[in-house]
Amino acid sequence: MTTSPAKSSPRNRMTGPQRRSQLIEVGRRLFAEKGFEGTTVEEIAATAGVSKPVLYEHFGGKEGLYAVVVDREIQALLGQMTEALTQEKTHARALLEAAAMALLDYIETSTDGFRILVRDSPPGQSTGSFASLISDIASQVEHILAAEFKRRRLDPKTAPLYAQMLVGMVAIPGGWWLDSRRMKKEDVAAHLVNLAWNGLSGMEPRPVLRTKPHKG
């Protein structure tokens, strides 16, 4: 008696949401490694094991995938920063320390995401740049600085400017620390807070330039 050959089991296929998640992870990794311009649609599709039309079906192209990746990273970082800044801390320095640690934690645990955020946005895209991210995070700490400024009899209207400076002061050294790792994360945060807090402590109510700029 002869037996018919066994039918091969059908290949497991990803659902739409599973494929979308896979493409996001592949894009995230490639964008972090090569940047937006250095990453091609062909490379994303080949790495994910799909055809280019699949990528276009889910995201409309490389730009759409990049926008989703960036938005996810921004939301993740802003979520960590907001959580740190809304904890019940009675002292402004404690909040500053929490914010510094939250940003460094993100840099450490989401290295690919941070590398994507610090790169320039692709041409024609107004959101997702490092500058816009800094602005978004700074808006979270403005009210904290404004309250501290009022307590110290400083002009609270300047709080947004100082918020931008403080967040940038943490973010830029954070990139240096990511590449060098010469110091412990907690030590980096401590030095950043040291400069920021002691700088705030000695601020003048109405600062002016001590030397007049030369006119050309």
Side-chain angles (χ1 to χ4, degrees), residues 34-96:
K34 300 184 176 183
F36 177 82
E37 296 295 341
T39 302
T40 65
V41 172
E42 291 79 6
E43 187 175 15
I44 296 171
T47 304
V50 300
S51 62
K52 290 194 295 182
V54 174
L55 176 63
Y56 286 110
E57 177 186 349
H58 283 278
F59 301 100
K62 183 175 72 169
E63 293 80 3
L65 175 58
Y66 181 86
V68 171
V69 169
V70 169
D71 183 68
R72 282 163 60 100
E73 294 303 324
I74 289 177
Q75 294 307 315
L77 177 51
L78 286 177
Q80 289 182 227
M81 294 292 293
T82 301
E83 182 180 358
L85 293 171
T86 53
Q87 295 178 20
E88 293 185 1
K89 293 181 172 65
T90 58
H91 200 281
R93 176 162 182 161
L95 287 169
L96 185 59

Side-chain angles (χ1 to χ4, degrees), residues 176-177 180-188 191:
W176 167 84
W177 171 73
S180 68
R181 297 299 177 101
R182 296 177 184 175
M183 301 174 66
K184 294 181 180 179
K185 177 175 58 179
E186 292 76 10
D187 291 339
V188 174
H191 282 287

Side-chain angles (χ1 to χ4, degrees), residues 22-35:
Q22 182 212 19
L23 288 169
I24 290 173
E25 288 305 313
V26 168
R28 183 177 185 269
R29 186 169 66 251
L30 291 174
F31 289 139
E33 179 183 351
K34 300 184 176 183

